[in-house]
């Protein structure tokens, strides 16, 4: 894959279609400045501020942009909330659509054919491989991203986080918890 990408970049550069410096700037932006910490701020705000949470459900794009996160691959955001009754997971069965402004670049597994095909057929099996076991009675809903709509999962606020400020809450929010392949960290779990 690396070789193919490099070959493609060389050809496109030679033909004058792309500027390698511009490409480097875009890659640097998404590797170092835009990533899941952005989404974690959105989740922490939603956990702290009921009005903001409601705004996320009525107009996620605007609510997220109000925190400064907007742009390519995030023009039409939808936030889906995990509850005691329902767990949400996000996939792009067709390719790799992903909400870049809040989560950065998609992980390799998100783009892989096995994840894309299996999560819709066997979400519990996929969750188990991520180390997540949910009660049998809990509904699992899988959302298929499109070229237009990108989803962000609002994970459940973990027990023991009462009284946490937004900074502390944001540290509990993992990338996978916002895709639905993980849960938010419990305070004191050693990872937060
Ligand atoms: Fe896609």
């Amino acid at each position: 894959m690396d070789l193919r990408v490099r070959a493609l970049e060389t050809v496109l550069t030679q033909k004058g279609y792309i500027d390698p410096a511009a490409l480097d700037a875009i890659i640097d932006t998404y590797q170092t400045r835009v990533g899941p910490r952005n989404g974690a701020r959105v989740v922490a705000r939603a956990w702290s501020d009921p009005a903001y949470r409601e705004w996320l459900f009525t107009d996620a794009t605007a609510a997220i942009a109000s925190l400064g996160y907007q742009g390519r691959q995030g023009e039409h955001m939808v936030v889906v909330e995990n509850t005691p009754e329902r767990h949400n997971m996000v996939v792009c069965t067709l390719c790799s659509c992903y909400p870049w402004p809040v989560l950065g670049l998609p992980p390799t597994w998100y783009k892989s054919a096995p994840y894309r095909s299996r999560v819709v057929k066997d979400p519990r099996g996929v969750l188990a491989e991520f180390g997540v076991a949910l009660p049998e009675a809990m509904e699992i809903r899988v959302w298929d991203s499109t070229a237009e709509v990108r989803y962000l999962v609002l994970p459940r606020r973990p027990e023991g986080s009462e009284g946490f400020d937004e900074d502390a809450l944001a540290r509990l929010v993992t990338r996978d918890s916002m895709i639905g392949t993980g849960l938010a960290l419990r305070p004191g779990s050693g990872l937060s």
Side-chain angles (χ1 to χ4, degrees):
M1 180 64 84
D2 281 356
L3 287 172
R4 287 165 69 184
V5 169
R6 240 177 295 161
L8 193 60
E9 183 177 344
T10 302
V11 171
L12 292 172
T13 303
Q14 283 171 352
K15 289 181 178 289
Y17 292 145
I18 59 167
D19 174 1
L23 212 53
D24 287 346
I26 292 169
I27 292 168
D28 180 66
T29 296
Y30 284 99
Q31 279 188 338
T32 61
R33 292 200 297 116
V34 180
R37 299 336 297 158
N38 292 0
R41 304 301 312 185
V42 172
V43 171
R45 175 68 56 88
W47 283 346
S48 311
D49 180 346
Y52 184 79
R53 177 176 160 276
E54 283 303 318
W55 190 15
L56 276 179
F57 299 147
T58 54
D59 188 348
T61 311
I64 291 168
S66 77
L67 299 185
Y69 312 134
Q70 55 191 317
R72 283 170 51 76
Q73 317 293 324
E75 293 93 342
H76 302 285
M77 292 294 305
V78 171
V79 170
V80 290
E81 182 183 42
N82 287 349
T83 69
E85 292 79 34
R86 178 189 293 166
H87 180 84
N88 296 283
M89 300 178 76
V90 179
V91 65
C92 176
T93 54
L94 193 64
C95 47
S96 57
C97 298
Y98 193 72
W100 292 10
V102 280
L103 294 186
L105 297 176
T108 305
W109 55 258
Y110 183 87
K111 299 183 276 187
S112 73
Y115 176 75
R116 286 159 36 209
S117 57
R118 285 190 53 222
V119 74
V120 286
K121 282 189 297 192
D122 180 20
R124 279 181 195 277
V126 170
L127 273 178
E129 284 166 25
F130 279 91
V132 177
L134 297 175
E136 275 303 316
M138 188 179 286
E139 176 194 358
I140 299 179
R141 185 168 287 195
V142 180
W143 300 83
D144 194 2
S145 310
T146 70
E148 278 84 36
V149 175
R150 307 300 161 92
Y151 298 96
L152 182 75
V153 174
L154 179 59
R156 292 172 69 192
R157 181 171 174 163
E159 286 175 27
S161 65
E162 298 80 8
F164 278 30
D165 65 17
E166 279 189 39
D167 285 346
L169 287 173
R171 285 194 287 274
L172 302 175
V173 183
T174 63
R175 178 195 67 194
D176 289 2
S177 74
M178 294 179 281
I179 304 173
T181 51
L183 306 176
L185 301 173
R186 295 177 65 134
S189 65
L191 296 169
S192 55

